[in-house]
Amino acid sequence: MKGFRQIIWLIRKDLALQFRTKDTLILIFVFSILVVLIFSFAFGPIFPDDPEDRAKLAASVLWTAFSFAGIITLNRSFDLERANGAIQGVRLTGVDPSNFYLSKVISTLVFLTMLELIVTPIALQFLEVLDVLPAIVQERLLLTLLKLIGVLAIGTLGFCAVGVIVSGISTSTHGKESLLSVVLLPLIFPVIMAGAKCSVSLLTTGGLEGNFWISILVVYSLVFLASAYLLFEFVIEG
Amino acid sequence: MTRVQLIGILATLCLFMALYFVFSYAKVEATMLEVQKIFYFHVSSAFTVFIAFGVTCLFSILYLIKRKDRYDMIAVASAELGIVFCTIVLLTGPIWARYAWNTWWNWEARLTSTLILWLMYIAYFILRSALAEETKRVYSAVLGIIAYLNVPIVYFSVEIWQGNLHPSTDTKMNLHPTMVKAWMISWLALSVLYVFLLVLRYQTERLKSQLETIQYQQMEKT
Amino acid sequence: MILLQATQITKRFAHRMVLNGVDLDVQAGEVVAIFGPNGAGKTTLIKILSTLVKPTSGAFQIAGIDAIANPLRVRSSLGVVAHEPFAYLEWSPYENLKFFGRLYGVDALEERIADLLADVELTPFAHEPVRIFSRGMTQRFMIAKALIHDPTLLLFDEPFSGLDVAAKQFVLKLIQQERARGKGLILTTHDTELGYHAASRFLFLLDGQIEPVAEKAEIELTELSRQYEQRLKK
């Protein structure tokens, strides 16, 4: 019971500090929009007319933008813990390292999902996808968007499950922000593949029928949540 | 004659035997002619990659439990060899592809997965070189485990992502008996080679550590 | 009552033996001052005794519990003041104390925070971010944070460093207050005068080992300083 309360307080701390200087939310938001715009312009010359192709492009852009946004968020999150030895203060309270891991996964998930909630509709509009969606999807647009956010959330969960523990081991070095990217990106390929496939399915058919990619996202999240939960003790306590 | 030297000789013999079997004994394949023979080393290397990284995962776990430095040394040595064999797979694959499908790289499933694998373990070494002595072993052990857990997921995901252009494993059943024998011998040869190099590499790590200790003790005295 | 008992603690970094067999014990109500020059391993020792770092070998118990096998269990008995604040400097003392107090599971937290902030004379700044504090104020905040959960054993690593005279006296007063409350305290320093006034027992940390020197009653400050200088020259 005490552990559960500690997790809640840790999550509240993360969200308070991430949002306190609204800096972080705005920074990551602007970054994500910029990535989307860069893709829009970079693909300008070959911008597809076909709705299905456009949906594919949108899916790729979304998952890329959110992966990079996620990496920045994780970097900042751990920098915050290491600054002034704050994490040592947390360790001294006798918090179980595995609970600390869970709290980080949840708070990062919440933060990134909120970001996705805001950026996705905007991105879809910039990529001119919303207008060309097939009729089936247009009719249930809101529901489809919500399902899309849902898929993004599950993908983000997998991303955070691996990302938090990898940040734990990659951000201990000073001034090597790119280290996290190099270590984390190869590990999250399955999330990006599965996530993109699910997103395309949602945007072109409004549903996930016959799409088992969602099970890959779920399996991935479970495998890494479980293993990282067990391994995180070694990251914090050495 | 030390044990290591014996393994080395055995490895050399196996390799020569494999060369004979692959180039003389096995029938030359009808459509691709001599280039098909890459297959023997390509596939054998691939299997060795999985064994090597599996050994890394195993000894990473052992290190985290027992904290004996030599477990970490074995893990690193095996990871290094994993990368070597992985590189062989990534180099021989395109050569095959060039002659079979007239392209150097076509994002075919297994090769793509192997590339991702290669990237994951290159990251393992980049991480190791960036870490300080105290945390290096523990943190890379954690990564060694996480990366290996990802291997089946990556292969499965990429497999269903792409249509499968890779010559399916069923063709193994259609191989001429001489080819099967050649393939098994080459796999044996590479496995023995892996063991030999692993032992050598591990011994090098251990010597390096011992040398550093002696060097430091000398420094303390002055 | 013995609060901490350490036996043959060693610590090796790469190939360097920083601590080479440290034996140490602390009773409730006593303040132990460990003197040592820079690089002697004082900070390393405090890190190990606070269970933040594992020793290479050796054993130690806190309140009878094996601290190496069960670090999480003993931490609630410890209060640590180190070189780094171990806190979130974007937050105010109030927010920090509330957060850490909640993690420790402190009862009547609001009241306790108010009392502590009054003790360390930071009440007017209770809601200012710690990042803007002076060195002296930060140190007082760090002490308040170390005390939030009322630990029985305190570990202070060079608590006087970087402080002006008034701040040093204040820290001295706080240490004496906690001692009067029956706490045990280990502090490291290379300031023999302040260490002398703060502590009831003195030790030297030299060449990775602890050398007992004397109890306060047995030795004068001048003698202590003389012995210390002499040992340093060797």
Side-chain angles (χ1 to χ4, degrees):
Chain A
M1 213 40 223
K2 181 176 187 196
F4 182 73
R5 258 187 243 126
Q6 287 174 330
I7 294 177
I8 299 291
W9 277 98
L10 285 166
I11 295 173
R12 287 176 66 162
K13 175 263 296 177
D14 275 336
L15 295 177
L17 282 171
Q18 297 266 45
F19 293 135
R20 150 74 52 99
T21 51
K22 291 205 165 50
D23 272 8
T24 311
L25 187 56
I26 294 177
L27 174 82
I28 314 272
F29 170 75
V30 170
F31 174 79
S32 309
I33 296 291
L34 281 171
V35 172
V36 172
L37 284 176
I38 287 181
F39 272 105
S40 310
F41 284 102
F43 280 99
I46 52 161
F47 203 73
D49 294 316
D50 179 56
E52 189 170 324
D53 287 340
R54 240 186 242 188
K56 286 181 182 169
L57 176 67
S60 318
V61 171
L62 280 177
W63 286 90
T64 308
F66 294 139
S67 300
F68 289 135
I71 289 179
I72 297 183
T73 305
L74 285 169
N75 252 319
R76 287 181 72 104
S77 184
F78 274 87
D79 281 346
L80 196 81
E81 300 293 343
R82 293 194 202 278
N84 315 113
I87 182 88
Q88 310 301 339
V90 174
R91 286 176 71 194
L92 284 171
T93 62
V95 164
D96 191 319
S98 300
N99 289 343
F100 181 81
Y101 165 76
L102 279 183
S103 74
K104 270 285 178 218
V105 170
I106 296 174
S107 59
T108 312
L109 176 64
V110 168
F111 182 81
L112 288 176
T113 308
M114 277 188 49
L115 180 81
E116 287 156 11
L117 200 64
I118 303 172
V119 171
T120 303
I122 299 178
L124 290 177
Q125 186 54 49
F126 279 166
L127 293 165
E128 299 173 44
V129 170
L130 291 177
D131 315 314
V132 303
L133 288 174
I136 346 166
V137 183
Q138 295 273 20
E139 283 160 28
R140 309 181 281 171
L141 188 59
L142 195 58
L143 189 61
T144 309
L145 281 180
L146 280 174
K147 284 189 195 170
L148 183 60
I149 303 289
V151 166
L152 282 167
I154 301 180
T156 306
L157 176 62
F159 176 89
C160 292
V162 176
V164 169
I165 190 164
V166 171
S167 310
I169 61 179
S170 317
T171 53
S172 62
T173 49
H174 302 295
K176 288 195 167 119
E177 284 87 19
S178 47
L179 184 62
L180 175 58
S181 311
V182 171
V183 180
L184 184 57
L185 287 173
L187 288 167
I188 58 163
F189 273 111
V191 173
I192 299 189
M193 287 189 282
K197 285 284 189 188
C198 286
S199 306
V200 171
S201 173
L202 279 173
L203 288 173
T204 51
T205 65
L208 289 170
E209 287 76 354
N211 192 322
F212 55 90
W213 285 96
I214 192 84
S215 11
I216 292 193
L217 282 182
V218 174
V219 167
Y220 185 94
S221 301
L222 289 174
V223 167
F224 288 108
L225 274 174
S227 45
Y229 182 83
L230 294 171
L231 289 171
F232 205 72
E233 167 196 344
F234 301 113
V235 176
I236 296 288
E237 300 289 328
Chain B
M1 171 86 40
T2 66
R3 230 176 9 191
V4 185
Q5 288 171 328
L6 273 174
I7 305 180
I9 294 177
L10 182 64
T12 316
L13 287 173
C14 285
L15 276 171
F16 274 111
M17 200 161 67
L19 285 174
Y20 166 75
F21 270 85
V22 167
F23 287 107
S24 284
Y25 181 78
K27 255 184 62 131
V28 177
E29 203 258 346
T31 37
M32 286 198 58
L33 306 177
E34 274 81 1
V35 180
Q36 178 265 353
K37 295 190 187 277
I38 281 186
F39 154 82
Y40 300 106
F41 297 110
H42 176 86
V43 177
S44 312
S45 295
F47 280 24
T48 315
V49 169
F50 293 117
I51 296 175
F53 290 143
V55 166
T56 299
C57 182
L58 176 65
F59 279 89
S60 293
I61 297 175
L62 284 173
Y63 176 74
L64 287 176
I65 301 174
K66 300 274 180 170
R67 300 302 169 109
K68 293 231 179 295
D69 281 0
R70 61 170 179 266
Y71 289 156
D72 176 66
M73 292 178 198
I74 297 176
V76 172
S78 195
E80 219 174 77
L81 287 174
I83 298 224
V84 167
F85 284 102
C86 202
T87 311
I88 293 176
V89 173
L90 290 173
L91 289 175
T92 53
I95 297 178
W96 169 290
R98 174 73 180 83
Y99 288 96
W101 309 309
N102 213 31
T103 173
W104 288 106
W105 188 272
N106 65 351
W107 296 112
E108 161 298 301
R110 296 231 176 90
L111 218 49
T112 306
S113 305
T114 310
L115 178 62
I116 297 176
L117 191 62
W118 189 86
L119 288 168
M120 286 202 294
Y121 283 90
I122 289 284
Y124 174 90
F125 282 99
I126 296 179
L127 177 72
R128 260 193 100 93
S129 64
L131 289 175
E133 191 61 41
E134 304 92 61
T135 50
K136 180 196 301 222
R137 300 193 201 271
V138 176
Y139 285 7
S140 48
V142 170
L143 185 61
I145 299 170
I146 299 261
Y148 204 62
L149 285 174
N150 205 23
V151 172
I153 302 180
V154 168
Y155 272 81
F156 184 68
S157 303
V158 179
E159 182 100 12
I160 41 179
W161 171 275
Q162 307 278 38
N164 205 358
L165 264 177
H166 202 102
S168 93
T169 44
D170 300 332
T171 56
K172 209 168 51 204
M173 307 310 157
N174 303 331
L175 286 177
H176 192 271
T178 56
M179 291 183 180
V180 176
K181 275 213 193 86
W183 177 74
M184 306 211 77
I185 302 280
S186 43
W187 185 23
L188 175 70
L190 286 187
S191 301
V192 179
L193 179 65
Y194 159 73
V195 172
F196 173 57
L197 291 174
L198 180 66
V199 174
L200 270 187
R201 188 70 188 81
Y202 162 67
Q203 286 187 337
T204 312
E205 277 294 319
R206 239 190 34 203
L207 283 175
K208 205 168 77 172
S209 181
Q210 286 170 347
L211 178 64
E212 279 168 8
T213 312
I214 297 174
Q215 277 176 335
Y216 197 80
Q217 281 167 356
Q218 295 283 59
M219 264 168 59
E220 287 264 85
K221 286 189 188 132
T222 51
Chain C
M1 184 184 77
I2 295 187
L3 292 176
L4 178 148
Q5 190 147 44
T7 324
Q8 287 298 299
I9 299 284
T10 67
K11 182 64 182 173
R12 185 158 59 90
F13 283 125
H15 305 277
R16 186 170 153 247
M17 213 52 160
V18 174
L19 296 174
N20 212 339
V22 165
D23 297 310
L24 181 62
D25 61 271
V26 181
Q27 311 258 7
E30 75 169 333
V31 176
V32 177
I34 302 178
F35 300 99
N38 286 332
K42 304 194 293 296
T43 301
T44 307
L45 180 59
I46 295 287
K47 279 190 187 162
I48 290 176
L49 295 179
S50 59
T51 73
L52 292 177
V53 168
K54 284 207 163 61
T56 305
S57 70
F60 77 104
Q61 294 85 36
I62 293 182
I65 306 174
D66 182 341
I68 298 180
N70 303 301
L72 296 179
R73 271 175 66 192
V74 303
R75 284 175 187 171
S76 50
S77 313
L78 298 173
V80 181
V81 171
H83 292 288
E84 285 187 306
F86 289 0
Y88 298 98
L89 300 194
E90 283 300 316
W91 268 354
S92 65
Y94 174 79
E95 283 165 319
N96 270 293
L97 290 175
K98 184 139 179 243
F99 171 68
F100 287 105
R102 288 259 180 258
L103 287 185
Y104 276 117
V106 175
D107 296 321
L109 187 55
E110 294 287 335
E111 217 182 293
R112 178 123 182 95
I113 295 177
D115 289 339
L116 270 176
L117 287 176
D119 279 347
V120 298
E121 293 180 10
L122 280 178
T123 314
F125 301 95
H127 300 284
E128 303 293 322
V130 176
R131 132 179 85 78
I132 65 167
F133 285 9
S134 66
R135 172 84 185 97
M137 289 163 72
T138 310
Q139 189 75 327
R140 278 147 48 199
F141 159 68
M142 283 157 66
I143 294 176
K145 188 177 145 296
L147 297 174
I148 186 75
H149 54 299
D150 204 27
T152 46
L153 176 62
L154 298 168
L155 302 168
F156 286 9
D157 188 14
E158 305 208 34
F160 306 112
S161 75
L163 299 178
D164 61 28
V165 176
K168 283 181 182 170
Q169 290 302 317
F170 195 85
V171 172
L172 189 59
K173 189 183 79 171
L174 287 170
I175 292 176
Q176 285 163 343
Q177 254 173 24
E178 290 310 306
R179 180 176 167 205
R181 288 189 179 132
K183 309 285 174 69
L185 194 152
I186 301 178
L187 66 97
T188 64
T189 182
H190 40 64
D191 185 328
T192 39
E193 184 178 345
L194 282 167
Y196 183 82
H197 290 298
S200 55
R201 182 153 60 96
F202 314 113
L203 307 172
F204 289 161
L205 178 58
L206 297 161
D207 299 323
Q209 287 182 325
I210 290 281
E211 292 175 19
V213 181
E215 304 275 329
K216 178 106 152 245
E218 307 165 345
I219 194 171
E220 292 287 329
L221 171 59
T222 41
E223 175 58 22
L224 177 67
S225 303
R226 193 190 63 80
Q227 280 193 25
Y228 185 53
E229 271 175 45
Q230 214 177 39
R231 287 297 286 111
L232 285 181
K233 284 198 187 104
K234 282 195 192 154

